[in-house]
Structure formats: C-alpha cells, structure tokens
Amino acid sequence: MSDLGNFFSHCTKIVDAELGKLIPSAKTEPARLYEAVRWSVFAGGKRFRPVLVLAVGKAFGADERKLLSTASAVEMIHTYSLIHDDLPAMDNDDLRRGRATCHVKFDEATAILAGDVLQTLAFQAIVNDALLSDKTKVRLIAELADSAARMVDGQQLDLDGEGKKIALADLEKIHQNKTGAMICVSARSGAIIAEAGENELNAVTNYASKLGLLFQITDDLLDVTQTTEVLGKTAGKDLRAEKATYPAFYGIEETRNLAEKVYREAVAALNNLEKPTAILREIADFILNRKA
Ligand code: GRG
C-alpha cells in the first residue's frame, strides 16, 4: 500500500475507535436514536476531514492522541450534514455511503434527531477531552461552530440557487461555505492543537481553502462521470436538480483543467511551511485523482 493508503487506513482505524467510544452504544436509550446515529457514522465514509486534522496536526508535531477528539468531532458534524442533506425536504435521497439513508432505514423524525444529536456530541467530544487545555478547547469550539454555521449558510444558498441561473462568483460562495468551511476548519484545528504560529496557520488556511475548492470541483466531476454503484450515492443528481456546477459552467474538459490549476495552487501554499508536508501534498493528489 502507498504511504497515503497506509496513513488513511491508520487514521480510519483510530478515528473509528474514538467515534465508537464517543457515540453512545446502540443499546443506550433511546436505542432507536443511537442505532440511527451509528448506522450513518459507521457506514464507510472516506474520513477525509478527520484525516486532514491528523495529517496537519502531525506535520506540526502534535501528539496523535490530542488530535482524536477533534478529528471525531469534524466527522460527526459532517455526518449530521449528510443525514440532513438526504432528507425529503432537501435532496430526498435514498442512498448514502453505499447503504440506505438514515430516514429510509429508520424514519424522518429519527433522522432529524440523529443529525441534531451528532452535532451536540461533536462539541461535547472537545469539551470533555482531558488532553486539551481550556484555551485550546475554546478556540477549537469557536472555529468549529463558525464553520458548521457557514456550512448551513452554504446549504441554504445552494437550495436558493436551484433551477436558477447563478453567477460563477455565487457558485464559489456556495462552495466556500457548504463544503470549504468544514474542510478548512479540519486543517486549521490540527494546526491549532499543535500550537502553530499565525503565519503557519495562514499557510494552512491557504492550502485547505484550495483543497476544499478542489474537493468540490472533483465532486461535481464525479457526479457527471461516475456511476451510483462506485460513488455509493446517487450519481447525476446535480444535473437533474438543475444545480449550478463547475461542469455546467465550463464543460468537463475545462473543469478538469481547473482542477489541475487549483491542485497546483494548493501544493504551492505548502511551500511557505518549513514542516514535513509530503503527506499534505499526497492528500491534494488523492483529491485531484479520486474516483469516488
Ligand atoms: C444539511 C446543514 C446541511 C448541510 C449539508 C455536506 C452538505 C451540506 C451536503 C452534502 C451534499 C454534497 C454532495 C456536498 C458536496 C461535497 C460533499 C460534502 C460530499 C460528501 O462528502 P464526502 O465525499 O463523503 O467526504 P463521505 O461519505 O466519504 O464522508
């Protein structure tokens, strides 16, 4: 396996173990709620955001154990957003992470509550982490709350734009909020826990902003080029919902060129860091070339 493959599988293993401890067991009352939470969390997501917390934190010299609660917290917020995004009132989807969506497997009310409680559990995970100082906790919680709110703003802007002709600048604003904010805060959190300086944090932010944009561009490309089976979620949905996407603006070839350009910008941001950043370059590479 490649270095990145090994890193992903190591991170997935330790983050899943931490999530297993942080999320109440499926027997905890009300059992239906925690069964639903576990159904969606342990469904085989890529764990890209927690990997980013760990990769940046470790590049800046943080002890892995100090990164785990935050890595789990970003995954919990991400999973809550997926559960709510799939609801009939939003995307109305029946497939996520290769299995039935939460509201299909359980019911709509339970899926809403599963998302709600995941958001609360995320903040609790950081609050209860004895390895982090109070000062670090407050900073992490403030940044995470801000990014989770921006994600919701982005989702609303996205819904507002459906079926309308929107400008490229508006599309970018939607993505910076809906997808970019949580990716950015994942990388920044790793650096904050490692007590990086402001200049270093700025470089990490530049890298992560480009990475977030790259993630969205490749997500748009996969939606039109990949099958539902490979994605584990319904393919071709953007087109059917008449969503503004990069391929809709530029066509597939130009969108691929844009992805290459944004990839180079993400990697260039790493040049300002005198840290071992090889894994961060590999992550950008992985996002550029991902197949799902
Ligand atoms: C409902 C509050 C609320 C927000 C929804 C995340 C999101 C915001 C919507 C998901 C819809 C979507 C396709 C967004 C674009 C990119 C994205 C976040 C894809 C899913 O993330 P992955 O590919 O998923 O990391 P896995 O399952 O691997 O974790």
Side-chain angles (χ1 to χ4, degrees):
M1 205 188 276
S2 66
D3 285 352
L4 186 67
N6 283 327
F7 187 71
F8 256 88
S9 78
H10 169 68
C11 292
T12 302
K13 200 167 133 209
I14 59 175
V15 169
D16 282 13
E18 185 71 8
L19 284 164
K21 285 188 241 162
L22 291 167
I23 298 171
S25 82
K27 291 191 178 129
T28 308
E29 286 299 333
R32 186 171 177 81
L33 177 65
Y34 294 109
E35 268 172 47
V37 166
R38 285 177 168 266
W39 173 262
S40 293
V41 172
F42 298 110
K46 290 184 286 299
R47 306 295 194 236
F48 167 53
R49 294 151 194 81
V51 164
L52 207 49
V53 176
L54 286 156
V56 173
K58 281 160 89 85
F60 280 83
D63 183 328
E64 189 171 270
R65 286 167 301 179
K66 283 186 159 190
L67 299 163
L68 281 177
S69 60
T70 307
S72 305
V74 297
E75 185 63 22
M76 287 195 257
I77 291 182
H78 170 60
T79 305
Y80 121 67
S81 78
L82 299 180
I83 295 172
H84 282 191
D85 185 62
D86 290 332
L87 286 167
M90 295 208 205
D91 260 10
N92 191 20
D93 217 324
D94 53 9
L95 187 70
R96 173 68 69 180
R97 292 177 163 172
R99 52 165 64 172
T101 46
C102 197
H103 66 275
V104 168
K105 174 75 182 170
F106 296 86
D107 56 74
E108 223 177 303
T110 305
I112 292 170
L113 294 173
D116 290 342
V117 82
L118 267 170
Q119 181 162 206
T120 308
L121 289 170
F123 290 103
Q124 273 180 350
I126 297 173
V127 169
N128 295 333
D129 189 340
L131 299 176
L132 300 174
S133 70
D134 286 351
K135 190 171 164 227
T136 303
K137 286 181 194 179
V138 169
R139 184 150 187 207
L140 291 170
I141 291 165
E143 294 229 1
L144 198 52
D146 182 63
S147 303
R150 284 183 53 202
M151 175 181 75
V152 178
D153 293 348
Q155 178 77 349
Q156 182 67 53
L157 291 171
D158 196 17
L159 292 174
D160 292 347
E162 270 181 26
K164 290 189 194 134
K165 212 171 154 39
I166 65 166
L168 190 58
D170 294 328
L171 177 67
E172 277 166 7
K173 191 170 165 199
I174 290 171
H175 294 329
Q176 273 164 7
N177 287 292
K178 190 177 92 165
T179 318
M182 284 303 295
I183 291 176
C184 211
V185 78
S186 300
R188 281 181 61 87
S189 297
I192 289 167
I193 294 166
E195 295 177 16
E198 279 310 312
N199 286 345
E200 292 175 320
L201 259 176
N202 286 340
V204 167
T205 306
N206 287 340
Y207 161 74
S209 304
K210 296 295 174 188
L211 196 66
L213 180 57
L214 181 62
F215 188 90
Q216 186 61 55
I217 296 170
T218 52
D219 207 74
D220 283 1
L221 275 171
L222 289 170
D223 185 70
V224 285
T225 57
Q226 201 47 282
T227 62
T228 296
E229 203 176 31
V230 170
L231 293 180
K233 62 180 181 181
T234 314
K237 285 195 67 176
D238 295 341
L239 216 58
R240 284 194 292 281
E242 294 182 46
K243 277 198 181 176
T245 62
Y246 286 97
F249 263 101
Y250 293 114
I252 290 179
E253 265 328 291
E254 264 312 294
T255 303
R256 286 215 171 98
N257 293 339
L258 179 66
E260 299 267 355
K261 176 174 167 280
V262 174
Y263 163 78
R264 287 193 295 275
E265 288 169 352
V267 170
L270 296 174
N271 293 338
N272 298 325
L273 287 170
E274 285 169 15
K275 297 285 175 204
T277 55
I279 204 84
L280 301 181
R281 184 171 304 112
E282 283 184 52
I283 288 175
D285 210 76
F286 164 76
I287 298 301
L288 175 68
N289 295 306
R290 71 195 179 108
K291 304 278 178 270

